[in-house]
Structure formats: structure tokens, C-alpha cells
Amino acid sequence: MPAKATRVSFGEALEELGEKIPDIVVLDADLSKSTMSIKFAKKFPERFFEMGIAEQNMIGTAAGLALAGKIPFACSFACFLIGRYETIRMSVAYTNANVKLVGTHAGIGIGEDGYSQMGLEDIALMRALPNVSVVQPCDDIETKQAVEYIATHEGPVFLRLTRQALEDVNPPDYKFNFGKGVVLKDGKDVTIFATGGVVFNSLLAAEELEKDGISARVVNIHTIKPIDEELVIKCAIETGRIVTVEDHNIVGGLGSAVMEVLSENYPVKVKRIGIKKFGESGSPKALYEKYGLDAKSIAKTVREFLK
Amino acid sequence: MENSILDLKIIATKIRIDIIKMLNLAGSGHPGGSLSCVEILVALFWEKIKRTPENALDPDRDRFILSKGHGVPALYAVLAHRGVIPYEEIFTLRKINSRLQGHPSRLDLPYVEASTGSLGQGLSIAQGIALAGKIDKKNYRVYCLLGDGEMQEGQVWEAIMSAPKFKLDNLCAIVDYNKGQIDGYVKDVMNIEPLVDKLRAFNWNVIEIDGHDFEQILSALDEAELIKGKPTFIVAHTIKGKGVSFMEDNHEWHGKAPNDEETKIALKELEEQLNELLSQKMEVK
Ligand SMILES: Cc1ncc(C[n+]2csc(CCOP(=O)(O)OP(=O)(O)O)c2C)c(N)n1
Ligand SMILES: [Mg+2]
């Protein structure tokens, strides 16, 4: 399959699920062509609510819809959703409303639009809210199954999606297992935990490391919260060193989640790869190189870490 | 007035040409909302704010906050034509390591006054600067440009509620009422009408104008300076994509850059407009 953005896979999945699950309703805030909720909007106009550029009202309305038995998907760029954090905190999390928050345009991978449109602190913030799960799929098949899981399971969720197209990582017979990490490649010297758009680059990095005689295990963490504690500890025991890779600020994201588990259970050295500053404009490729998220840079960081 | 209306029109057309070139080289960006606000920016920067390299960071300068941050190619071109940033730099728009971020970044380029690009925040910032001006008894004025779609944000209306309370007659908001946003026409996505009535009900001095007509823009800005005790909101009716026929009033051109072929056609149109204005100028002389 050609590379596909997880936001596109999401749009397709939602369109299909709309048929099966009549309680699904979708809200968007003037970004339906970007979040891909437009597919659902066209097929089920009576169950789609265009809220205009008013994310706070969209999230609160979604909470109300959920309280009355609907399954609302509220969509915007991840950065604009977390811009209404306190509304999410009260109306969704603390109310325990069954709202599915869909934040697209994750990370510096969006490229030229620059920092203002990049979700870079969203995992950290959403992870801090009790009740809210955080899911970030890494390819088409995983996204589609994740969306179905989310739609059919009660509870608030933050789903983080990419603007950029992603290569397939999982096999065609893949089964999404909420809360469980996926070992994509085995290895004994180090484990690389990756999530979302950078899983593929982490796999490429592991191949490159193989040539240097470094055996790297690669684990895809699609459910960042609740994180697969058992697997994280097991990998630390088996490979000793741990690296985390994410297109997100290194504060509060996957790296932090992994370190929290390890420091309480089995402390080992961890190297976090992620964004340490604001993002900036540039081509996605140039940005990944500059910020160390391309396969070559990941391999280099792992090599230095293992020295 | 420092410049004739004809001169301002010539400047505006040159700015439009630069916007098209910048977006083409960048390969992405927002032509529709950049082209619709050109006359407003030119009127402000040439006749009111009179920005120069010398006053660009002067504590007493008039401020301009681009709340609709995605329109920033127009602002960068204006800053270049005013000599605040080197002209050649505008063609680094959206490239890695450039100061000219896809949306204004005050961290990278202080002349943009505030980092924007998340809609709905600029008017509050402008209000804060205006309040400080009152405390410090400064004479500077604060201008803020918003999008009509942006008017849907709740924070905008919080600022609309508070600025009259603080009697901020040094604050002038302008809405680029180009009728379009991303998902369609503003009236269909989330109608903001009756806008003038709403703003009046919130105790603003409201002036409704054609946002491409320099005489109307300048007289509205003059009036805003004279009104005491309340802020002014200029509702400027504009055309999204103004100046390039195939971009005008076409939602497709909200957020995509023209390719080389489209750029050629757009530039040809704009250069014809420029030549027409230049020949009018010859006649005047
Ligand atoms: C808070 C927020 N939500 C969504 C966006 C994405 N966005 C960028 S431009 C735009 C439409 C803006 O429409 P309008 O304000 O009318 O601007 P203009 O027509 O002048 O381009 C949207 C929704 C954003 N930048 N900020
Ligand atoms: Mg508009």
C-alpha cells in the first residue's frame, strides 16, 4: 500500500463506521478538509456539526452530545484542541464524557506552517488528565482499527494523527490491541520505543544499526496512556538500555511515560529523542534532519548512547 | 497624506506581486487572506503607523498586531517595502532557519509584535498594549487585524466586551471581511451577522467600509483617531484573493500556493494592473 497519512485513514474509517454505528456524531472547527472529517460530513450531513473556528464550544458541545448518549468525535489540529485544555479538563475528563478528541497535524512533521500549527505538547497535557486515554497509531491499518476500538469502547480518548503520509509498518493480518505495545523487530542491545509518525524511521534506524553490529529492538507504542508497563519493564530487563522516539516535546510525552514506569520499577539509562524547543517552518524532511528524527539521526543518537 | 491614492495603489499592487512570488517559492501558504488585506496594511503602514527601520522597535511606536497570522506574507512584504527587513529576505518565507515563519513568530522576528497563527488571540494582546499605553500616558495607537472567520472565536468576543469598558480609544480593530474561511463561506460555516449591530451593541465605534478603497480606509482610520472614550472597529468588506481573478472568492485558494504555471498567470494579471497604474501616474505628471 502506498504511504498514507493517518488523518486520511481516520477519515476513511469514520466514514465506514458511521454506517455501522448510528450514534456516532462528528464535530469540526473549520478544518474538516484537513482533519478529513469531511468524508463523514458528506455522507452523514445530519450527524455532522460544523462549529466554525470555535474549538472551545465544539468540545463542550461534544461533551453534551456524549452525555445524551451520542458518540462524538471532535476534530481539529492537536494544538488547537489543547488550546482549550481547561474545557477538556472539566467538560470531558472530569465529567467523564465519552468524547473522542481527534487531534491531527501532530509534530514538526507538518512542515512549512510552523510552530503555531504543530501539536508538540499535546501528549503531555492529555496524559496528565485522569480518565483520558492517549492513542497514536503509526500506519493505515493500525489507525483504522484504533478508530473502531475507540468508537466502540466507552471513555474519553485523545487520538493523535499525522498530516504527513506514513509507510505501512504493520502486516495485513495486524490486530490492534489497546494498551499493548507491538514488538516490530527484536533485538538484544537496546530497545527503541517509538510512537506515531516516527515508528517507521525508528525501524530504518534499527536496520542501519544492525550493520554496525548493534541489535536494536523496536517497539511501537500506539497506546501512550495507559502505557504497556509490563512490556516496558520486560524490555529494560532484556536489553538494558532504552531509547524513546517521538515527534513531540521530550517533556511529558512518550519518553516521560517510559521513564516514569522504569524509574519506579526497573531503573535503567534512557535516552529521549524528541523536540526540545518550539518547532519552526521548513520542509518536513529538512525539519526531521535538523531535529534528529530522521533514521540517520536516530541511529547516530543510539550509537552514541550505547558507547 | 504623504502619498497620493495612486501611489498607494501602486504600492499595493507591488505588494500583491511579491506575495504571489513568495508563496510560489515557499510552495505553501495562504494567498486568499494575504491578498484581501493588502490595502488595509498599506494604508496603515504608509499613512498611519509610518513604520521605518528607525521606529520599528521604538517604545512609542504605533503597533500593528496581525491576529489572522496566516496572512503574514502580506505583512512581510510590507515590512520589506518599508525597509524594516531586507527585500531579498521575503523569499526565504517558510524555509528552514528563516526568520519569516509560516505564521508570525516574535521570537524570530520582533517586528511582527506578537506570535500569532492560532486564531482569536490578537485582539486581547492589542488590548493589553493599549492599556499599557493609557497607564503610561503614551500617544501610540494599537491596530489589530482579524479575519471574519476568526470572529467566531470566543476570545475575540471577550476582548470585544472588555475594550469598551477600559475606554480604549487608542485601540482600533479591523476585520478583513472577505466572506470566506476554510470550509466555505463564513455565512454558511458559522454566520457572524449582523456584525455591525453586534459590535455597536458591545459599545464600539463601528465604521463599515470597502476594504479595498484607500479613501474609505484612510477616512475610517482618521475617524478612529478622533473618537474619544471608546475603541473603534472597522468592518472592512473585502474580496478574498483580491487582484488575481482565479483566486478571487474561491475557497480553494485559502491555503495553497500557486504552482509555476498559476504564478505566471497571476503575475501577468498583476503586472497589467501595475502598468495601468503607472501609466495613470505618467499622465498625472
Ligand atoms: C484557533 C485556530 N483554529 C483553526 C485554525 C486553522 N485556520 C487557519 S486559517 C483558518 C480560516 C480563517 O478564516 P478567516 O479568519 O476568515 O481568514 P481569511 O479569510 O482572512 O484567510 C483556519 C480555520 C487556526 N489557525 N487557529
Ligand atoms: Mg475570511
Side-chain angles (χ1 to χ4, degrees):
Chain A
M1 286 265 286
K4 192 190 271 187
T6 53
R7 63 184 168 127
V8 174
S9 311
F10 159 74
E12 292 170 1
L14 202 58
E15 185 184 21
E16 218 180 287
L17 285 169
E19 200 84 64
K20 284 192 245 169
I21 310 173
D23 277 338
I24 290 181
V25 293
V26 179
L27 303 89
D28 206 302
D30 196 27
L31 284 170
S32 71
K33 296 179 201 167
S34 298
T35 64
M36 294 296 163
S37 69
I38 190 164
K39 288 176 188 289
F40 183 97
K42 286 204 166 137
K43 195 151 172 200
F44 308 102
E46 71 291 350
R47 286 196 270 148
F48 176 81
F49 302 98
E50 169 64 77
M51 304 302 289
I53 312 171
E55 295 80 7
Q56 184 167 296
N57 187 39
M58 170 177 77
I59 293 164
T61 306
L65 284 159
L67 295 182
K70 300 296 169 198
I71 305 167
F73 281 75
C75 316
S76 183
F77 290 1
C79 59
F80 303 138
L81 290 179
I82 58 150
R84 283 70 193 164
Y85 190 61
E86 210 263 335
T87 306
I88 297 173
R89 179 177 182 265
M90 284 306 295
S91 305
V92 177
Y94 195 43
T95 297
N96 196 23
N98 186 28
V99 174
K100 318 301 177 183
L101 295 162
V102 181
T104 68
H105 290 56
I108 61 170
I110 71 162
E112 288 81 358
D113 269 347
Y115 176 72
S116 71
Q117 320 290 302
M118 294 170 169
L120 280 173
E121 305 85 10
D122 48 308
I123 298 176
L125 287 167
M126 300 307 293
R127 214 165 61 82
L129 292 172
N131 255 352
V132 180
S133 311
V134 177
V135 175
Q136 174 166 232
C138 73
D139 69 2
D140 178 55
I141 188 166
E142 189 164 281
T143 306
K144 288 189 168 143
Q145 293 186 29
V147 174
E148 175 156 15
Y149 177 88
I150 286 166
T152 52
H153 287 77
E154 184 81 19
V157 181
F158 174 61
L159 179 67
R160 187 178 201 248
L161 302 172
T162 64
R163 170 183 187 266
Q164 75 273 25
L166 302 182
E167 299 290 341
D168 283 336
V169 167
N170 293 297
D173 62 350
Y174 176 76
K175 288 279 168 291
F176 174 80
N177 200 346
F178 178 80
K180 292 285 168 221
V182 183
V183 180
L184 292 171
K185 176 188 169 300
D186 205 3
K188 56 181 194 340
D189 299 330
V190 60
T191 301
I192 303 174
F193 289 106
T195 183
V198 289
V199 171
F200 183 70
N201 283 356
S202 300
L203 272 174
L204 294 182
E207 279 172 29
E208 204 177 310
L209 289 166
E210 209 75 39
K211 290 180 206 147
D212 304 342
I214 296 170
S215 162
R217 180 181 296 179
V218 180
V219 178
N220 165 25
I221 299 289
H222 51 63
T223 309
I224 300 166
K225 188 182 159 209
I227 194 163
D228 189 345
E229 294 199 12
E230 212 178 302
L231 182 63
V232 170
I233 296 167
K234 183 169 175 277
C235 290
I237 294 170
E238 291 175 0
T239 70
R241 300 289 181 108
I242 301 291
V243 174
T244 61
V245 189
E246 60 196 311
D247 189 351
H248 180 272
N249 195 295
I250 59 162
V251 176
L254 173 70
S256 298
V258 166
M259 287 169 75
E260 286 158 17
V261 173
L262 291 177
S263 43
E264 283 186 346
N265 295 283
Y266 192 85
V268 296
K269 270 208 141 209
V270 177
K271 177 75 196 168
R272 288 170 299 159
I273 301 177
I275 312 303
K276 300 187 183 82
K277 311 180 189 170
F278 296 103
E280 65 176 295
S281 293
S283 73
K285 185 168 177 289
L287 288 173
Y288 267 31
E289 283 165 13
K290 177 167 173 178
Y291 288 84
L293 289 177
D294 63 318
K296 215 168 139 199
S297 306
I298 295 170
K300 185 162 170 259
T301 306
V302 174
R303 233 180 265 126
E304 275 162 18
F305 177 57
L306 293 184
K307 264 184 198 156
Chain B
M1 254 178 83
E2 288 195 355
N3 305 276
S4 69
I5 297 287
L6 185 54
D7 283 336
L8 293 175
K9 284 183 181 171
I10 289 169
I11 294 164
T13 311
K14 287 182 177 165
I15 300 258
R16 286 202 166 89
I17 288 172
D18 282 335
I19 290 171
I20 294 296
K21 289 182 181 167
M22 289 161 77
L23 290 171
N24 170 248
L25 280 173
S28 64
H30 301 82
S34 299
L35 293 170
S36 61
C37 66
V38 172
E39 280 84 5
I40 297 166
L41 263 63
V42 169
L44 279 170
F45 280 81
W46 268 259
E47 293 297 330
K48 291 292 170 191
I49 296 171
K50 299 188 180 134
R51 182 67 74 242
T52 62
E54 292 70 40
N55 71 19
L57 295 174
D58 183 335
D60 294 331
R61 71 192 179 280
D62 288 341
R63 307 316 204 260
F64 174 76
I65 306 283
L66 183 66
S67 192
K68 45 166 272 185
H70 59 281
V72 77
L75 179 58
Y76 292 149
V78 162
L79 290 175
H81 282 258
R82 297 294 306 179
V84 179
I85 59 173
Y87 179 73
E88 284 309 316
E89 190 175 0
I90 63 176
F91 302 112
T92 67
L93 171 70
R94 290 177 164 252
K95 303 271 190 240
I96 197 155
N97 300 325
S98 170
R99 294 194 296 174
L100 306 196
Q101 292 292 298
H103 295 75
S105 164
R106 181 169 176 269
L107 269 180
D108 294 284
L109 192 71
Y111 315 117
V112 299
E113 308 281 6
S115 296
T116 56
S118 177
L119 295 165
Q121 303 187 17
L123 188 55
S124 302
I125 297 176
Q127 165 168 262
I129 299 171
L131 274 171
K134 289 284 180 192
I135 298 170
D136 295 342
K137 304 210 164 26
K138 299 239 182 191
N139 286 323
Y140 64 72
R141 297 185 57 73
V142 189
Y143 298 96
C144 177
L145 183 69
L146 300 102
D148 48 357
E150 183 180 16
M151 296 294 291
Q152 294 155 350
E153 279 288 357
Q155 188 181 338
V156 172
W157 293 92
E158 294 173 25
I160 288 171
M161 194 158 10
S162 59
K165 165 181 166 160
F166 299 121
K167 304 189 168 52
L168 295 178
D169 48 21
N170 53 350
L171 175 65
C172 176
I174 305 163
V175 57
D176 179 3
Y177 204 167
N178 61 23
K179 317 298 180 291
Q181 52 190 114
I182 298 183
D183 281 348
Y185 285 115
V186 174
K187 69 175 167 45
D188 301 324
V189 171
M190 187 61 66
N191 196 3
I192 58 172
E193 284 297 324
L195 183 60
V196 169
D197 293 348
K198 284 178 188 163
L199 295 169
R200 287 214 173 105
F202 278 73
N203 292 323
W204 286 66
N205 173 49
V206 186
I207 312 169
E208 203 172 4
I209 58 163
D210 173 345
H212 298 304
D213 182 323
F214 276 111
E215 276 162 38
Q216 290 189 36
I217 301 169
L218 290 169
S219 88
L221 293 172
D222 286 344
E223 180 187 323
E225 270 177 283
L226 294 175
I227 294 285
K228 292 295 159 214
K230 47 161 81 176
T232 291
F233 219 115
I234 299 176
V235 176
H237 293 280
T238 57
I239 294 168
K240 202 155 172 168
K242 171 76 175 176
V244 178
S245 60
F246 61 91
M247 290 183 178
E248 287 191 1
D249 196 32
N250 182 344
H251 306 313
E252 258 184 51
W253 289 100
H254 167 81
K256 88 170 174 194
N259 63 26
D260 292 348
E261 190 54 35
E262 291 153 347
T263 298
K264 225 191 260 171
I265 302 169
L267 289 180
K268 187 161 172 279
E269 282 186 18
L270 290 167
E271 270 149 18
E272 276 167 16
Q273 293 167 32
L274 181 62
N275 288 336
E276 165 63 25
L277 293 166
L278 290 172
S279 66
Q280 282 177 33
K281 194 172 155 101
M282 292 301 286
E283 281 163 32
V284 175
K285 278 185 179 162

